[in-house]
Amino acid sequence: MPRTSALQEAVLHGGDVPHRTDLRGHPVVELLLRRIAEGSVPGARRDPYVLALAVEGGGMRGVVSAGMVTALSYLGARHAFDIAIGVSAGASNAFALVAGTDDAVAAAYSGACIDGPFLSVRRALLGRGPLMDLEHLVDDIVVGRDDSRIAAAASSGVRLGFLATEVERAEPVVLENFADGTELRRALRASSLLPGIAGAPAELRGRRWVDGTITQSIPYPAAIACGATHVLALQTRPVGVPLRAPRGPERVLVARALRRLGPQVEAAFAERPARYAAAVAELAARSHDEAGPVHMATVRPAAGTPPVGQLERNRARLLAGGRAGAAAVHLALEGTRPWLDGRLRVTTGGAV
């Protein structure tokens, strides 16, 4: 379609692309709102469709999609999705939505993640451990050391998957159908394991895995491959903010680790900015033209929203990122920007 082509070209060349903040009337949001109103749950749908949630992450920038899933949960959408696929920090956020711990995980970005041992540049530079301690993140913050949250996620009926990159082929794979809690925890770590930042590749099912964003930053193609007819994508970068090559300590640590993994992973990582721009272009276009199948729509912070860094430690910026994500969901589904309290719940006063 000509309009789709124009939007894609504008995004790919850095143009001023209109971002559709109000998605009411779009087939994806219409289906989502209808299911919420009906109290629809997996296994007892009144429609034949497969609605998927695709959640972007990006290290500490995942606070944005954490705010988004918290808003979705607040609006009653936890059981409205048939599939939830997350990548990197988005995998933790997808799990939190399905398990019903979305607000606690969202709060952890500006709490436990910066107050505890999860993130330490000093530790990495001194060679005393990874910059990001994913074992602590998964076992002590997101999933917990017992399996109660895993049981809650399983009882939801929502198909849950974590996108990771298989090292030898440098291909994105959805990890799902976990044999037990140990395997789920390993898969969640694998999805977030950026080489040089979070340690050595994860071993799972006889293969090695690293961060899924190396091959697919916004996992909507994975959702489509899983059979989705409708996809709601949650993006963490504001409109107009592209994916750029890493800088500073991140650049040094990642480059060194990628060379050790081999040329296939190194090449996939180098191609990320162009691949990301193409994905943004497609999602922007499909949010406007409403074409299907597959119907796709995207929610992301508006242009001018201060971006959150991948290694962000500033509490105020993290809190603002979570609020920006939650507000974007309310704008998309309700057409209004509400006041939000510290738990990202709608209130009559306070701060957005």
Side-chain angles (χ1 to χ4, degrees):
M1 296 178 62
R3 182 171 58 170
T4 300
S5 176
L7 280 166
Q8 289 175 332
E9 287 298 316
V11 175
L12 289 169
H13 294 91
D16 183 14
V17 179
H19 172 56
R20 183 172 174 179
T21 58
D22 186 346
L23 292 169
R24 290 176 299 171
H26 191 286
V28 172
V29 170
E30 287 290 286
L31 176 60
L32 175 60
L33 293 176
R34 184 166 65 250
R35 286 185 173 184
I36 293 171
E38 294 173 350
S40 179
V41 297
R45 304 291 191 201
R46 297 182 184 178
D47 61 72
Y49 305 116
V50 179
L51 176 59
L53 183 69
V55 190
E56 183 182 8
M60 296 300 285
R61 193 176 62 255
V63 70
V64 178
S65 55
M68 290 174 174
V69 300
T70 299
L72 286 169
S73 179
Y74 176 85
L75 292 170
R78 181 186 170 209
H79 296 99
F81 295 100
D82 300 295
I83 302 171
I85 295 177
V87 62
S88 189
S92 292
N93 298 338
F95 173 84
L97 174 66
V98 175
T101 57
D102 41 88
D103 56 347
V105 170
Y109 281 89
S110 57
C113 287
I114 58 174
D115 293 334
F118 167 60
L119 187 63
S120 174
V121 175
R122 177 180 174 82
R123 178 178 62 213
L125 293 178
L126 293 177
R128 296 174 179 172
L131 193 154
M132 289 183 173
D133 185 343
L134 294 182
E135 186 171 344
H136 171 69
L137 175 73
V138 172
D139 293 347
D140 298 319
I141 298 175
V142 178
V143 177
R145 293 186 178 271
D146 63 36
D147 287 352
S148 59
R149 296 179 186 177
I150 295 174
S155 68
S156 73
V158 179
R159 180 179 174 184
L160 178 66
F162 308 140
L163 188 77
T165 296
E166 198 270 326
V167 170
E168 277 61 44
R169 293 177 296 173
E171 291 181 354
V173 177
V174 176
L175 299 173
E176 57 178 332
N177 299 320
F178 310 110
D180 52 30
T182 297
E183 190 171 75
L184 181 144
R185 290 178 178 87
R186 287 177 181 170
L188 189 53
R189 287 195 291 270
S191 180
S192 303
L193 206 154
L194 187 61
I197 297 293
E203 301 280 347
L204 180 66
R205 300 175 180 175
R207 292 191 278 176
R208 295 189 301 160
W209 306 91
V210 289
D211 195 309
T213 63
I214 291 175
T215 49
Q216 196 174 116
S217 293
I218 311 169
Y220 68 93
I224 295 171
C226 287
T229 62
H230 296 66
V231 180
L232 181 67
L234 306 182
Q235 294 182 239
T236 56
R237 288 181 174 84
V239 173
V241 176
L243 186 155
R244 299 187 186 280
R247 294 173 289 182
E250 181 187 359
R251 179 184 61 80
V252 175
L253 294 168
V254 172
R256 185 185 306 157
L258 288 172
R259 282 194 295 271
R260 288 197 294 265
L261 287 180
Q264 72 283 4
V265 178
E266 193 171 13
F269 188 80
E271 294 163 0
R272 284 199 319 160
R275 197 166 53 241
Y276 188 84
V280 168
E282 182 173 20
L283 287 169
R286 300 295 289 278
S287 293
H288 278 273
D289 64 33
E290 303 183 8
V294 172
H295 295 286
M296 294 190 293
T298 189
V299 178
R300 65 187 303 200
T305 303
V308 178
Q310 184 165 356
L311 303 180
E312 186 65 70
R313 294 184 60 90
N314 182 284
R315 199 181 309 272
R317 293 194 192 106
L318 290 165
L319 288 168
R323 289 196 179 101
V329 165
H330 283 281
L331 278 168
L333 271 61
E334 299 183 316
T336 60
R337 183 182 178 90
W339 294 99
L340 301 170
D341 65 17
R343 292 175 64 87
L344 303 180
R345 307 298 185 181
V346 175
T347 183
T348 56
V352 176

